[in-house]
Amino acid sequence: MALPTNSVRIIKVQKAGNGWLYESVVVRLKPTLSIEDFKEELQGRGYRDITVRVSGGRQLVLSFQSVEAMKEKLPFMKDWLTAWCESVEEWEDSMVLEQVRQVWLSCYGVPLVLWNNKTFCSIGIEWGEVLILDEDTANLKAFHCGKVKVATRHMGAINHTLNLECKGILYPVRICEEQTIVSQIVKEY
């Protein structure tokens, strides 16, 4: 039986195999810090036995070897974790992690007179939190399309046309989510 095109499927599932969560804390990095820098800091402080799992957006799940290890190490980590993170919380069953994806948005048709970092940040904010602008976009090196990376809760593929308005004039701009696999293939050739 075919489902109507506007319906959402519901699939019944069960919790299984996630005991490691009870040996974990969920942290949310501050906006100016990167996941890679955080991992390096953790390693540099000698916490090589902690597994870092990227959850989406700026959230990470830090898993310890055991609940005891977590209870023992966490008090010594609190000071620097507070400097790096907006929040640090031990896992609880009631927690729901952010469903966030990091995606590059390609912006086609942005007029040169409007080509600036503020314009691209304004576009990116429409879909989520702006993380970074592409180097060529920010440094005015190429104008075929501008790129902005966002953390978005939007789960569907982003593919829209919008209008930029400046002094009463509307400029249509196409915004497309960069498809990761396509980007990787293009970069290889």
Side-chain angles (χ1 to χ4, degrees):
M1 179 172 147
L3 292 174
T5 56
N6 62 349
S7 71
V8 175
R9 292 180 185 226
I10 297 174
I11 301 170
K12 291 188 182 215
V13 296
Q14 296 177 353
K15 295 179 184 180
N18 293 322
W20 57 270
L21 284 169
Y22 301 97
E23 303 166 346
S24 303
V25 294
V26 178
V27 301
R28 180 176 170 81
L29 292 181
K30 291 185 176 174
T32 55
L33 302 171
S34 78
I35 293 168
E36 294 311 313
D37 289 342
F38 179 85
K39 287 180 179 179
E40 284 179 27
E41 181 72 14
L42 191 67
Q43 294 290 315
R45 290 179 176 268
Y47 296 110
R48 290 176 179 80
D49 58 340
I50 297 174
T51 304
V52 179
R53 295 176 166 102
V54 179
S55 171
R58 297 189 327 261
Q59 280 189 321
L60 303 172
V61 178
L62 309 180
S63 298
F64 296 77
Q65 296 295 316
S66 66
V67 173
E68 294 77 25
M70 178 179 71
K71 299 282 186 199
E72 178 187 320
K73 292 178 181 181
L74 206 49
F76 297 105
M77 299 171 67
K78 283 282 188 181
D79 284 343
W80 77 266
L81 280 176
T82 340
W84 281 72
C85 305
E86 290 177 351
S87 63
V88 179
E89 300 176 78
E90 288 187 34
W91 174 260
E92 294 179 13
D93 271 344
S94 60
M95 287 179 118
V96 178
L97 298 183
E98 288 181 336
Q99 296 299 309
V100 176
R101 307 179 301 127
Q102 290 187 13
V103 297
W104 282 101
L105 300 178
S106 296
C107 310
Y108 297 94
V110 175
L112 288 179
V113 296
L114 301 179
W115 195 283
N116 59 66
N117 293 353
K118 200 169 184 176
T119 295
F120 289 103
C121 286
S122 295
I123 292 170
I125 283 172
E126 289 294 311
W127 282 276
E129 178 183 352
V130 173
L131 302 174
I132 192 169
L133 296 181
D134 174 72
E135 186 179 324
D136 287 350
T137 301
N139 295 323
L140 309 172
K141 291 184 180 178
F143 302 110
H144 66 285
C145 86
K147 294 183 181 182
V148 57
K149 189 174 191 179
V150 298
T152 183
R153 288 181 174 85
H154 186 76
M155 289 297 132
I158 298 170
N159 186 6
H160 296 278
T161 301
L162 55 77
N163 287 308
L164 298 177
E165 189 269 328
C166 182
K167 296 183 179 182
I169 301 172
L170 297 178
Y171 300 90
V173 175
R174 179 123 185 125
I175 312 300
C176 301
E177 177 181 326
E178 203 170 84
Q179 301 299 311
T180 307
I181 190 71
V182 172
S183 298
Q184 289 172 350
I185 291 171
V186 169
K187 287 178 184 176
E188 289 176 11
Y189 293 98

